[in-house]
Amino acid sequence: MSQKNPRATAALILERVIYGGTSLSQLLVDGDDNIDPLVKDLCFGSLRWHERLTTILDQLLSKALKAKDKDIECLLRVGLYQVLYQNTPEYAAVNETVAAVKGLKKPWAVKFVNGVLRTFLRRKDELLLEADRIESARYAFPVWLIKSIKKAWPDQWQSILEESNLRAPMTLRVNLSEISRDKYLEQLAEEDIQAQPHALIGSAVILDKPSSVFELPGFNEGHVSVQDAAAQLSATLLDCLPGMRVLDACAAPGGKTGHILEHTKDLDMVAIDNSELRLLRIGENLERLGLEADIVLSDAGDTGAWSKAGFDRILLDAPCSAAGVIRRHPDIKVLRREDDIEQLHEQQMRLLNNLWAMLRPGGRLLYATCSIFPAENVAVVKEFMDNNPTAKHQPIDAEWGLTQEYGRQVLPGTDAMDGFYYAIIEK
């Protein structure tokens, strides 16, 4: 972004997400040290509390701003976020937000922004009380998402919403083929980086505070990667053996591909994705780890020369609503729509059926999503099992997650993990 004022920059980014439908990850690249940390915090925080901030803003504005002035509206969100969640002194939040108007080149808005924010400060208690009477504002989730989560998890819905509004921990995956976790924890301690071993996942380490990857010992040498603990389960669940031909479908950015190769040596590994740009990320990650795979530009729903020989193991980390990782991607609350779930179910079924044809007899397919919705998880596997007599469901016996009719579900925040679903299907 060209704007130098971080609040103006954040407002423009929010406008592109909220009104342009662009994902935050496209606008703020993870690991890019050139992005102002304040801009990241303002964007993530404003989107995390979007529903609540919007409800408050609706009470403050007599009428909606015109489409050409949505950047000013988004700047007001930034100002409200600073006061409510950033512990910024009220006078400083107002002054800095008003000063950011200059970065948007709309001098008429100086008095307007100042007036709206000062009105909020005068009426803060009243406005917050009124907002909290509305469930979507109280939990900072859109109505349809709350309804869907209540239906899927009637006993856990409140904890799911609350955990999804917390900042996710920075979790590392130690390359156990290069260094033990205990040894790596010692190296972190030597660098004054505080961390704890994950209680259930043997390769996972949780940092007390986020750190730049370039400050992590051994990162450039491939001794460690950033990956949530739940995502680290796939390599073990695949249960690969040396010499096997393995497919990672929908593989970008390559975290699971790398972990599978770290976990089991001498694999004939194929990683596919339908985005050329995302394929570059796979190649970069594998190069850093010193690992190799056949990286192919293809849709997992298609076939090609890469698929003719078949596979002993297939990981289908299917496209999904990502409802289990909202704490890492709060823009999901804004970008996702209720009717997306049915469309995703159809896409997941298409991919699963197509990849099943590529699985060799005696092989294993691991179906995974970062969703918490049964329509994308259990319902997909059940429909598949009902229509494929050669398919055998292999129950997962584990300490993590909740047993389902098919597969196992991790809910957001449980055991310091993202929301994830896994099911093992054997031929």
Side-chain angles (χ1 to χ4, degrees), residues 124-135:
K124 183 168 69 170
D125 292 343
E126 167 201 344
L127 292 169
L128 293 178
L129 184 64
E130 187 64 30
D132 286 341
R133 290 194 178 103
I134 302 170
E135 190 176 56

Side-chain angles (χ1 to χ4, degrees), residues 381-403:
V381 177
K382 179 176 174 53
E383 182 177 338
F384 176 80
M385 296 296 297
D386 289 346
N387 293 302
N388 288 276
T390 61
K392 177 185 177 183
H393 169 246
Q394 181 65 45
I396 300 171
D397 183 17
E399 296 180 60
W400 52 265
L402 301 171
T403 302

Side-chain angles (χ1 to χ4, degrees), residues 29-97:
V29 180
D30 291 338
D32 187 347
D33 285 355
N34 293 321
I35 298 174
D36 188 334
L38 177 57
V39 171
K40 286 187 177 182
D41 183 67
L42 294 172
C43 290
F44 275 85
S46 296
L47 289 168
R48 182 174 290 114
W49 301 104
H50 174 78
E51 291 293 330
R52 195 161 190 252
L53 297 177
T54 297
T55 300
I56 294 169
L57 202 53
D58 287 346
Q59 296 179 72
L60 289 167
L61 301 180
S62 58
K63 61 180 180 179
L65 291 173
K66 297 177 181 178
K68 64 184 180 66
D69 294 322
K70 292 300 184 183
D71 53 347
I72 298 298
E73 178 190 292
C74 289
L75 182 61
L76 287 169
R77 297 176 198 276
V78 169
L80 293 174
Y81 168 70
Q82 292 174 93
V83 173
L84 291 174
Y85 299 105
Q86 217 183 31
N87 296 320
T88 304
E90 293 179 350
Y91 71 89
V94 172
N95 291 343
E96 293 294 339
T97 305

Side-chain angles (χ1 to χ4, degrees), residues 158-291:
Q158 284 179 297
S159 64
I160 290 172
L161 298 182
E162 290 166 358
E163 288 289 341
S164 296
N165 281 333
L166 299 178
R167 299 188 186 201
M170 184 171 179
T171 305
L172 308 180
R173 182 188 79 236
V174 179
N175 184 349
L176 299 180
S177 66
E178 295 290 337
I179 186 172
S180 72
R181 183 170 68 172
D182 287 345
K183 181 64 176 177
Y184 189 74
L185 284 166
E186 290 177 8
Q187 292 185 3
L188 288 174
E190 290 171 1
E191 298 294 329
D192 292 326
I193 299 175
Q194 304 303 311
Q196 311 299 324
H198 192 280
L200 299 178
I201 314 302
S203 55
V205 167
I206 303 173
L207 300 186
D208 289 3
K209 296 179 180 179
S211 172
S212 167
V213 293
F214 303 111
E215 295 176 358
L216 298 174
F219 179 80
N220 291 331
E221 293 75 25
H223 291 177
V224 69
S225 300
V226 178
Q227 188 178 46
D228 182 74
Q232 297 182 37
L233 293 164
S234 57
T236 302
L237 293 172
L238 266 182
D239 192 28
C240 298
L241 297 174
M244 282 186 169
R245 181 167 164 79
V246 180
L247 172 65
D248 185 357
C250 313
K256 295 183 182 68
T257 308
H259 192 199
I260 293 166
L261 290 167
E262 291 172 3
H263 188 270
T264 308
K265 298 296 184 182
D266 302 318
L267 296 176
D268 180 6
M269 189 81 193
V270 179
I272 66 170
D273 201 90
N274 62 2
S275 165
E276 193 166 353
L277 182 61
R278 292 199 298 266
L279 284 182
L280 294 175
R281 293 283 304 278
I282 299 175
E284 291 168 355
N285 282 324
L286 292 183
E287 182 179 6
R288 182 181 61 81
L289 295 169
L291 300 170

